[in-house]
C-alpha cells in the first residue's frame, strides 16, 4: 500500500490562467507594448508629414473644403495654413463648398486666417457650390474673396440651439427688424420703409414699454436667440470693416438670412473676383497687393505652381468620429464592451474594444455641441437595458431603457446645423439592435440555467471512477475503508462502507470536503436489476397456469393456439 501523500487536483488540465502570467501573458503584454509603440511612431510620422512635404517657395497651396464645417475640417484647414506658412508659399486658396457648420469650428478657422502671414483667398467653387451660413463668415474673413459662376453665398443667421429649434411665439425674432434697417438696400422701396417703421416702433417701445414688450426679456428662448443674432451680426460687420467689404449686406445675411449669386455678390462688393477655376483666379490676382499680419504682400501668381493639399489620416479620422451618428455608435459599443468584460472577467477583448470605443466616443462628444442631459439619458437607457437581462423586472427596465435612450438620442445634439443631427432611422436602428442584444443575452442566460452542471461538486455526484493502488482497506479498526480512486481523470481520496479491490469501478454518492463517498458499481447494478428475475418468474408461472386451465376446459379461458380440446400444450391426453 502506497504511503506517499497525494493531493487531489481540483480541476483537470493546466491551472495557469489564460492571460495573466506565464508565456501567454508575457506574449500578450509584449504585443500590446509593440502595438502602442508602433501606433505612436506612426502617428508622429504622419502628423509631421505635411511639414516635411516639399513645397516650392512662392507656390500656391489649394485647400479643398467640402461638406459641413466641423472639428475635422477645422483641424485640416488650420494645419494646412500652418504648412503654407512654414513652406513660404505666397498664397493659400480655400476652395469652399459648404452648407454651414459649427460656430466653434468656424471661429477657429477665422482665427487662423486672420493670424496667417500668408494671404488667404476663399474661392467658392466649382460651379454649383455654395458658402452658406458659416461659409459666409469665412468668405468675409479672407484676404481675397472669389466665386465661380453659378455659386451663391449668404443665409448666415445662427440656427436656434436646443431640441426642436422652433421659433418663439409670434413667428419672428423679438426685437429684431424683419425687413431691414435704415440705410440698407432692400428688394424694393417697401422693404426700406418697413425697416424704418420697424426701427421707429422699436424706439417707441423702448421709451414707452408695454406689458407685452416688458415681458419679452423674461422669455429665455427669445432672449437667447436675440443674443446670438446680435453677436453674429457684430462679428460679420467687424470682418467686413477689416477687409473693406459690404458690411450692411453681411448684417442682412445674418438678420434676414438673405443670399446672393456670384454676379450680385460682385456688384454689391461682397466678393472681389469671379473666376472659372483656380488657374483663372491666379491670373486675375497677379499683381494685387494684400495686407496680412506681417505687412503688405504683392502677389505674383500668374505662373505660380499649384499644390493641392489632401486631407491626411488624422483629418479623416476626426471627420469620421465627430459625426454624431458614429459617436453615438461608439458610445454604445463602449458600454456593451465594458459590460461584457465586467460580467465575464478574463475575455480581455470586449474590455479593450469597449474602453477604446468609449474614450473615442467621449472625445468626439467634447468636440461637438452636446446636450449633456441627453448624453446622461443615453447612458441611463443602456444601463436599464443591461439590467433587464439579469433582473426579474418583467420588461419594466427594458421599456424604460428604450424610452430613455430614444429621448436622449433626440436631445443629444444641441444644434440644428445640417449634418450634425441624429436622424430618427438611426435612432430606431440602434434601439432595435439594443433590444435584440438584450433579448439574445437573456435567452442565452435561460438556456445556460437549464443545462446540467458539468463542473464543481454537483458534477461529481453520480460519476463513475476506478479504485487505484491497493484498493479500499480499513486503516484502523472501526474506521470505514479508505483509499484512492480516479474520477474524471483526477485522483481523489475516497471512502466506502465495504472494502474494495483495486481496479473495481465505483460510483460517487457524496462529497465531504476533499473526500468522496463511493459505492461499488456492481452493487448499484445488482440493486437495479434485482427485480428482473422475479418479474420473469412471475410471468412464466402465470403463463403455465393459463395453459393448464385452458387444457382442462375451464370456462372462459381460451385454449392456447395450436392445442386441440382435451390435450395439453405438449400434446398429451389430459
Amino acid at each position: 500500500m502506497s504511503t506517499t501523500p497525494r493531493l487531489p487536483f481540483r480541476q483537470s488540465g493546466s491551472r495557469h490562467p489564460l492571460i495573466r502570467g506565464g508565456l501567454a501573458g508575457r506574449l500578450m503584454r509584449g504585443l500590446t507594448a509593440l502595438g502602442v509603440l508602433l501606433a505612436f511612431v506612426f502617428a508622429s510620422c504622419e502628423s509631421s508629414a505635411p511639414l516635411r512635404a516639399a513645397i516650392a517657395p512662392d507656390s500656391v497651396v489649394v485647400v479643398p473644403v467640402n461638406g459641413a464645417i466641423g472639428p475635422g475640417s477645422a483641424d485640416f484647414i488650420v494645419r494646412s495654413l500652418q504648412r503654407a506658412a512654414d513652406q513660404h508659399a505666397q498664397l493659400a486658396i480655400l476652395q469652399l463648398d459648404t452648407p454651414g457648420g459649427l460656430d466653434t469650428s468656424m471661429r477657429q478657422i477665422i482665427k487662423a486666417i486672420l493670424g496667417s502671414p500668408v494671404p488667404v483667398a476663399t474661392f467658392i467653387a466649382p460651379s454649383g457650390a455654395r458658402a452658406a451660413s458659416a461659409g459666409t463668415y469665412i468668405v468675409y474673413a479672407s484676404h481675397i474673396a472669389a466665386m465661380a459662376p453659378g455659386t451663391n453665398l449668404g443665409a448666415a443667421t445662427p440656427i436656434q440651439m436646443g431640441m426642436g429649434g422652433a421659433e418663439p411665439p409670434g413667428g419672428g425674432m423679438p426685437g429684431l427688424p424683419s425687413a431691414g434697417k435704415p440705410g440698407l438696400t432692400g428688394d424694393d422701396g417697401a422693404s426700406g420703409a418697413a425697416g424704418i417703421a420697424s426701427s421707429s416702433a422699436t424706439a417707441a417701445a423702448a421709451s414707452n414699454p408695454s406689458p407685452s414688450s416688458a415681458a419679452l426679456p423674461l422669455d429665455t428662448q427669445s432672449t437667447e436667440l436675440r443674443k446670438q443674432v446680435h453677436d453674429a451680426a457684430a462679428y460679420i460687420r467687424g470682418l467686413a470693416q477689416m477687409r473693406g467689404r459690404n458690411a450692411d449686406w453681411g448684417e442682412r445675411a445674418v438678420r434676414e438670412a438673405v443670399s446672393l449669386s456670384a454676379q450680385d455678390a460682385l456688384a454689391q462688393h461682397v466678393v472681389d473676383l469671379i473666376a472659372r477655376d483656380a488657374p483663372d483666379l491666379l491670373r486675375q490676382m497677379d499683381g494685387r497687393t494684400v495686407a496680412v499680419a506681417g505687412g503688405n504682400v504683392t502677389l505674383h501668381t500668374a505662373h505660380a505652381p499649384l499644390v493641392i493639399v489632401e486631407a491626411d489620416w488624422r483629418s479623416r479620422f476626426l471627420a469620421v468620429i465627430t459625426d454624431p451618428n458614429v459617436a453615438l455608435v461608439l458610445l454604445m459599443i463602449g458600454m456593451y464592451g465594458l459590460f461584457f468584460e465586467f460580467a465575464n472577467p478574463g475575455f480581455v477583448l470586449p474590455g479593450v474594444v469597449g474602453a477604446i470605443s468609449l474614450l473615442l466616443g467621449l472625445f468626439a462628444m467634447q468636440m461637438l455641441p452636446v446636450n449633456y442631459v441627453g448624453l446622461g439619458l443615453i447612458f441611463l437607457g443602456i444601463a436599464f437595458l443591461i439590467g433587464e437581462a439579469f433582473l426579474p423586472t418583467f420588461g419594466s427596465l427594458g421599456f424604460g431603457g428604450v424610452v430613455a435612450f430614444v429621448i436622449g438620442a433626440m436631445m443629444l445634439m444641441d444644434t440644428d446645423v445640417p449634418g450634425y443631427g441624429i436622424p430618427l432611422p438611426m435612432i430606431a436602428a440602434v434601439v432595435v439592435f439594443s433590444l435584440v442584444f438584450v433579448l439574445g443575452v437573456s435567452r442565452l442566460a435561460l438556456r445556460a440555467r437549464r443545462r446540467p452542471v458539468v463542473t464543481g461538486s454537483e458534477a461529481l455526484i453520480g460519476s463513475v471512477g476506478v479504485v487505484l493502488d491497493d484498493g479500499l482497506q480499513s486503516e484502523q479498526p472501526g474506521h470505514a475503508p479508505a483509499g484512492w480512486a480516479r474520477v474524471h481523470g483526477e485522483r481523489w481520496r475516497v471512502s466506502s462502507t465495504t472494502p474494495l479491490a483495486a481496479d473495481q469501478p465505483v460510483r460517487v454518492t457524496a462529497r465531504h470536503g476533499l473526500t468522496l463517498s463511493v459505492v461499488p458499481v456492481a452493487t448499484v447494478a445488482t440493486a437495479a436489476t434485482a427485480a428482473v428475475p422475479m418479474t420473469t418468474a412471475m410471468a412464466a408461472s402465470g403463463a403455465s397456469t393459463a395453459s393448464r386451465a385452458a387444457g382442462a376446459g375451464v370456462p372462459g379461458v381460451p385454449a392456447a393456439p395450436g392445442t386441440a380440446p382435451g390435450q395439453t400444450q405438449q400434446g398429451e391426453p389430459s
Side-chain angles (χ1 to χ4, degrees), residues 511-524:
R511 176 183 173 183
H512 307 283
L514 298 180
T515 303
L516 303 180
S517 297
V518 298
V519 296
V521 173
T523 302
V524 177

Side-chain angles (χ1 to χ4, degrees), residues 45-395:
C45 295
E46 288 293 331
S47 61
S48 60
L51 302 180
R52 296 197 309 265
I55 296 179
D58 297 331
S59 60
V60 176
V61 177
V62 179
V63 183
V65 182
N66 299 309
I69 301 297
S73 55
D75 177 79
F76 172 53
I77 293 174
V78 170
R79 292 195 298 118
S80 298
L81 294 180
Q82 183 63 42
R83 171 190 177 183
D86 293 341
Q87 299 295 329
H88 305 288
Q90 66 167 322
L91 179 67
I93 298 177
L94 300 182
Q95 186 167 313
L96 194 60
D97 181 11
T98 177
L102 302 179
D103 178 77
T104 54
S105 301
M106 175 199 73
R107 291 177 182 265
Q108 183 181 358
I109 295 172
I110 291 177
K111 288 179 182 178
I113 294 175
L114 298 180
S116 173
V118 176
V120 178
T122 299
F123 183 32
I124 305 175
S127 296
R130 58 175 172 168
S133 190
T136 304
Y137 295 84
I138 296 175
V139 169
Y140 264 77
S142 302
H143 301 91
I144 300 173
M147 300 177 68
T151 58
N152 66 282
L153 81 165
T157 303
I159 295 178
Q160 172 67 25
M161 306 292 282
M163 185 177 177
E167 290 185 353
M173 290 175 284
L176 295 178
S178 59
K181 60 182 239 177
L184 291 183
T185 304
D187 295 336
D188 49 32
S191 63
I196 297 174
S198 176
S199 299
S200 302
T202 304
S207 59
N208 300 312
S210 63
S212 60
S213 63
L216 284 178
L218 300 179
D219 187 346
T220 304
Q221 185 179 19
S222 60
T223 302
E224 182 181 0
L225 184 59
R226 285 202 305 270
K227 289 171 59 178
Q228 294 172 2
V229 172
H230 288 315
D231 178 73
Y235 189 51
I236 200 169
R237 177 172 283 276
L239 295 175
Q241 293 171 351
M242 176 182 292
R243 301 304 183 198
R245 297 196 172 93
N246 191 334
D248 293 338
W249 184 89
E251 191 166 348
R252 285 191 61 201
V254 173
R255 296 183 181 275
E256 304 172 32
V258 296
S259 298
L260 285 177
S261 63
Q263 294 295 338
D264 293 338
L266 181 63
Q268 298 191 30
H269 197 52
V270 175
V271 297
D272 305 312
L273 300 168
I274 294 180
R276 297 185 305 273
D277 50 24
D280 184 28
L281 179 63
L282 294 184
R283 287 192 296 269
Q284 296 187 45
M285 289 189 300
D286 187 49
R288 183 183 292 261
T289 301
V290 180
V292 296
N296 294 333
V297 175
T298 301
L299 301 177
H300 303 282
T301 57
H303 304 287
L306 280 173
V307 178
I308 300 178
V309 179
E310 297 294 340
D312 58 0
W313 71 270
R314 173 179 170 178
S315 300
R316 294 191 182 97
F317 178 72
L318 284 177
V320 170
I321 67 172
T322 52
D323 185 320
N325 301 313
V326 177
L328 180 62
V329 172
L330 287 174
L331 290 178
M332 187 182 67
I333 294 176
M335 288 289 292
Y336 286 140
L338 292 181
F339 156 70
F340 263 118
E341 181 63 29
F342 292 147
N344 303 277
F347 273 94
V348 179
L349 182 60
V352 171
V353 174
I356 293 175
S357 300
L358 185 61
L359 289 177
L360 289 178
L362 293 176
F363 172 75
M365 289 299 172
Q366 65 91 22
M367 301 182 71
L368 294 172
V370 174
N371 186 323
Y372 290 98
V373 175
L375 185 61
L377 285 173
I378 288 176
F379 285 138
L380 185 64
I382 294 177
F384 282 170
L385 290 173
I386 293 175
E388 178 63 30
F390 299 97
L391 300 177
T393 60
F394 305 100

